[in-house]
Amino acid sequence: VRLFDRNGTVTPTEFGEIVLAHSGAILNGFSELQHELEMAKGLDKGNLLISAGIFAAEASAQQAVGALSLLHPNLRCALFVKDWVAVIDDVLNRSSHLGFADISDAKDHPDLETELICEERLVVFVRGEHPLARRGQVSFKDMLEYPWVGTSLPRSWTANFPQEASYGSIDERSDRAVTRIVVENFTSMLRVVKNGNAICAAPRRLLEADMAS
């Protein structure tokens, strides 16, 4: 079967178009096969690609990578911190071998194997001089009047948010609430909150040092 025509310029044939359409999956499949062969030789060889959401990176993934490097110092490991929805996409399209993210959506994908690592309740926080910090009681409606900082929120939260307000808006394509201010790491999240009137929510243990100071 001829894949390309070479008449002055190289153009794909009908069969070539089919191969090109599947080339990404073919290359990812080869990369995954190569990864599994390297892992079979032992964890001291090969590459491990990990994607993690902001909170998951702070709470688990960074520590796990550190511990893994102690046990297997020759293993090449890359950790990518991003929106947790993108973490699921990375694993599905095989850009990463492992993902740390919110499990609520991941467990609904039949192609993914999931395991719950921990469950933590999020607490809402603002800077000490924030207008809401001076109120005796704060309602969820009150919090919607200020910009939120973070990433996209789990789809299960969507019903709690209006289509659009100061917090951010509902993305029509994904049906997820997306914060007004989007950041890619926890340090940026804290700095935005400390220097403005943005609101955020995070696991309490990630905030203990800042709360103590």
Side-chain angles (χ1 to χ4, degrees):
V1 175
R2 189 172 66 243
L3 300 181
F4 297 94
D5 286 325
R6 293 176 174 83
N7 297 319
T9 59
V10 178
T11 57
T13 64
E14 180 181 355
F15 298 105
E17 292 283 2
I18 295 173
V19 172
L20 288 175
H22 293 82
S23 60
I26 293 172
L27 290 174
N28 283 333
F30 177 77
S31 177
E32 184 174 356
L33 173 61
Q34 186 178 39
H35 169 71
E36 291 186 8
L37 291 174
E38 289 174 342
M39 292 296 101
K41 297 175 184 177
L43 278 174
D44 281 331
K45 298 181 180 180
N47 298 300
L48 181 61
L49 306 179
I50 301 172
S51 292
I54 292 178
F55 299 145
E58 292 289 329
S60 305
Q62 294 172 355
Q63 297 88 328
V65 170
L68 186 63
S69 69
L70 284 176
L71 295 174
H72 307 282
N74 295 321
L75 178 68
R76 293 185 298 273
C77 185
L79 173 62
F80 307 101
V81 180
K82 54 182 62 182
D83 187 317
W84 67 271
V85 177
V87 173
I88 296 175
D89 292 338
D90 280 357
V91 178
L92 284 171
N93 64 33
R94 301 178 181 178
S95 297
S96 288
H97 303 118
L98 181 66
F100 287 78
D102 185 276
I103 200 173
S104 60
D105 278 11
K107 66 182 181 181
D108 294 331
H109 288 277
D111 294 334
L112 296 179
E113 182 176 342
T114 61
E115 182 173 346
L116 181 64
I117 296 177
C118 64
E119 289 184 285
E120 295 194 63
R121 179 174 295 180
L122 302 184
V123 297
V124 175
F125 66 97
V126 297
R127 65 186 176 96
E129 299 78 18
H130 194 286
L132 292 182
R134 297 191 292 269
R135 297 190 188 181
Q137 292 184 332
V138 177
S139 67
F140 183 67
K141 184 178 180 180
D142 293 332
M143 291 188 287
L144 294 177
E145 296 175 358
Y146 293 89
W148 285 37
V149 56
T151 60
S152 57
L153 305 176
R155 188 175 286 112
S156 57
W157 293 19
T158 301
N160 299 316
F161 291 85
Q163 187 66 33
E164 185 166 1
S166 295
Y167 81 90
S169 61
I170 303 296
D171 180 76
E172 294 182 355
R173 293 175 300 175
S174 64
D175 193 33
R176 301 179 193 279
V178 180
T179 56
R180 179 70 58 186
I181 304 171
V182 177
V183 296
E184 294 185 347
N185 58 69
F186 190 61
T187 299
S188 297
M189 188 180 293
L190 289 177
R191 287 178 177 170
V192 170
V193 170
K194 290 178 180 179
N195 291 279
N197 282 339
I199 292 176
C200 191
R204 177 179 289 274
R205 66 185 172 111
L206 299 184
L207 302 169
E208 290 175 349
D210 290 277
M211 291 170 67
S213 62

